Amino acid sequence: MKGLLSEVLAKLLHVTGLETGWIFLMERDGSYELAAMENLPPALSHSNCAPMCKGDCWCIDRYNNGRLYKAINIIECKRIEDALFEKRADTNNLTHHATVPLRAGEEKFGILNVGAPHKTHFSHEELALLESIAFQIGTAIKRIKLTEREQENALTAERNRLARDLHDSVNQLLFSLSLTAKGGVALTREQETKETFAYIQDLAQEALSEMRALIWQLRPRGLENGIISALINYGEMLDLEVKTKVTGVVSLPGIVEEAMWRIGQEALANCKKHSQQSKVDLMITVEKNQVKMVISDNGCGFHCDESLKDIPTLGLKSMKDRTEFLNGQFNLKSSEKQGTSIEICIPV
């Protein structure tokens, strides 16, 4: 997405003869992200474009208020005004810009801003051209989002297919192996043979439990009753006692709830395999702009690099990647004989 927007913005400025431009991608809650910029003056680009990544301005206010529906002239740029007022770096004589909503039909995605030194007005022809290009950009953004959604649907379908195949093949074979070993224990009279069959039966039962947990991870059920209920039920399936504490109430976005569910599954599975404990604490705290989930145990723990530069396992790396994909923070604390705690904070 950002690569596309940066390339389009550079070509747009070249074709129109304008010098400076930037694109904000907007969220429904009014938050925004600087997705592309070209030739920003030092007053706006210093400190890694910090003046462009925070605060409000007139074009963003118009967009959020529903008053920005076509290409318009902005009399003066508030961010430039702030730079001049605070006597920051050179503005390169940029004082005004045109602003255009990026849209496809009735759906809006962000704002395109363009300007040039000493240019204080855009003609109707220039605004019409910018509006036409902005519509094409908006259409491209919508196609990208639809493609991403289709990829997610395809991934879910593949998970479901794999879960069915595992259930119909490997799961049934393990069940048959368990029954055969149980029959061997009943039929033989030699003690050593009985012990061998009993050992095989125990291994088959353990493999069955892990296979069922894997199938559930691939095709999760239970989220319709909420993330807490789903994780408690999953813990029970692993023979874990999950003690919960919940603060705050909110209807979480589906993508956030799915990520918490996957992270929680991985954390509980690690508790079962490695902690040598059967009790796990689960805490979920919902605040105004974020949800925090902490899963901890008092098990054997392990030596942990607190900087997280060297993630010890693929499962922990997966939890960290899922959290950071949603612009969240992942924290892991563990030490030998002191237990393990995993904390994630995701903005909502």
Side-chain angles (χ1 to χ4, degrees):
M1 178 79 76
K2 291 184 178 179
L4 164 74
L5 295 177
S6 295
E7 186 172 346
V8 168
L9 180 60
K11 290 186 176 182
L12 168 63
L13 296 179
H14 175 72
V15 168
T16 59
L18 299 171
E19 184 172 306
T20 300
W22 60 95
I23 294 176
F24 290 125
L25 289 180
M26 306 291 297
E27 299 294 338
R28 292 183 179 180
D29 62 359
S31 61
Y32 64 90
E33 175 188 13
L34 180 64
M37 60 281 191
E38 191 75 16
N39 295 327
L40 288 178
L44 300 180
S45 62
H46 75 88
S47 302
N48 199 23
C49 298
M52 305 294 290
C53 299
K54 60 183 179 179
D56 294 327
C57 61
W58 294 311
C59 56
I60 288 179
D61 289 341
R62 279 177 175 264
Y63 180 96
N64 289 331
N65 293 334
R67 294 184 293 130
L68 182 62
Y69 53 89
K70 64 179 182 179
I72 60 173
N73 282 297
I74 294 297
I75 304 303
E76 290 176 314
C77 177
K78 182 176 182 297
R79 297 180 191 273
I80 290 290
E81 279 192 350
D82 290 343
L84 293 173
F85 179 77
E86 297 173 12
K87 297 181 180 180
R88 296 204 299 264
D90 188 12
T91 62
N92 290 354
N93 297 311
L94 178 69
T95 57
H96 299 69
H97 64 78
T99 188
V100 197
L102 302 176
R103 59 192 304 165
E106 297 299 320
E107 193 171 359
K108 298 192 300 181
F109 304 102
I111 303 172
L112 165 67
N113 288 332
V114 292
H118 305 294
K119 188 173 180 63
T120 61
H121 184 77
F122 291 81
S123 68
H124 291 297
E125 291 78 10
E126 289 175 315
L127 293 177
L129 175 62
L130 291 174
E131 194 166 319
S132 175
I133 294 174
F135 179 78
Q136 295 181 50
I137 296 173
T139 302
I141 292 174
K142 184 170 184 177
R143 286 176 178 170
I144 290 175
K145 289 183 176 291
L146 289 174
T147 301
E148 291 174 346
R149 192 179 308 166
E150 186 63 28
Q151 290 173 343
E152 291 177 1
N153 291 338
L155 180 59
T156 300
E158 179 62 17
R159 283 176 176 169
N160 289 338
R161 184 197 65 77
L162 182 57
R164 287 194 301 269
D165 290 348
L166 288 174
H167 180 272
D168 294 340
S169 56
V170 181
N171 199 55
Q172 296 300 329
L173 288 173
L174 289 172
F175 185 68
S176 299
L177 177 61
S178 178
L179 287 180
T180 302
K182 184 177 181 180
V185 172
L187 290 174
T188 187
R189 295 182 179 180
E190 296 182 7
Q191 185 61 31
E192 289 186 0
T193 306
K194 280 182 178 291
E195 291 177 356
T196 300
F197 276 122
Y199 180 64
I200 294 174
Q201 184 183 4
D202 290 341
L203 286 179
Q205 287 291 345
E206 184 177 349
L208 262 175
S209 297
E210 293 201 10
M211 181 60 64
R212 286 169 181 164
L214 176 60
I215 291 172
W216 203 8
Q217 288 179 25
L218 290 170
R219 187 172 54 188
R221 295 184 300 274
L223 274 179
E224 64 273 8
N225 295 321
I227 184 68
I228 293 292
S229 175
L231 289 176
I232 290 176
N233 291 335
Y234 185 72
E236 289 177 352
M237 191 179 68
L238 297 177
D239 295 323
L240 293 174
E241 180 184 341
V242 182
K243 182 180 178 182
T244 63
K245 180 181 179 181
V246 182
T247 304
V249 179
V250 72
S251 177
L252 295 173
I255 190 172
V256 174
E257 194 170 49
E258 170 75 11
M260 292 174 62
W261 166 240
R262 297 296 184 186
I263 293 169
Q265 282 181 316
E266 183 66 35
L268 292 177
N270 286 345
C271 289
K272 173 66 176 179
K273 293 178 182 178
H274 307 299
S275 72
Q276 301 175 8
Q277 292 286 325
S278 61
K279 295 184 179 180
V280 182
D281 291 324
L282 168 64
M283 181 180 71
I284 293 182
T285 304
V286 180
E287 298 175 348
K288 183 178 180 181
N289 296 317
Q290 72 173 14
V291 56
K292 180 170 71 174
M293 180 172 72
V294 181
I295 298 178
S296 58
D297 64 66
N298 293 319
C300 58
F302 61 94
H303 176 69
C304 174
D305 177 9
E306 293 186 0
S307 67
L308 297 181
K309 292 181 179 179
D310 184 20
I311 300 293
T313 70
L314 182 61
L316 289 172
K317 187 177 186 304
S318 173
M319 287 190 273
K320 184 173 184 290
D321 290 343
R322 287 182 185 276
T323 304
E324 292 180 347
F325 177 76
L326 297 175
N327 299 318
Q329 294 181 336
F330 175 86
N331 294 304
L332 168 65
K333 295 181 180 179
S334 185
S335 57
E336 295 181 5
K337 298 181 181 180
Q338 298 296 320
T340 302
S341 174
I342 291 172
E343 176 184 308
I344 65 167
C345 292
I346 299 176
V348 294

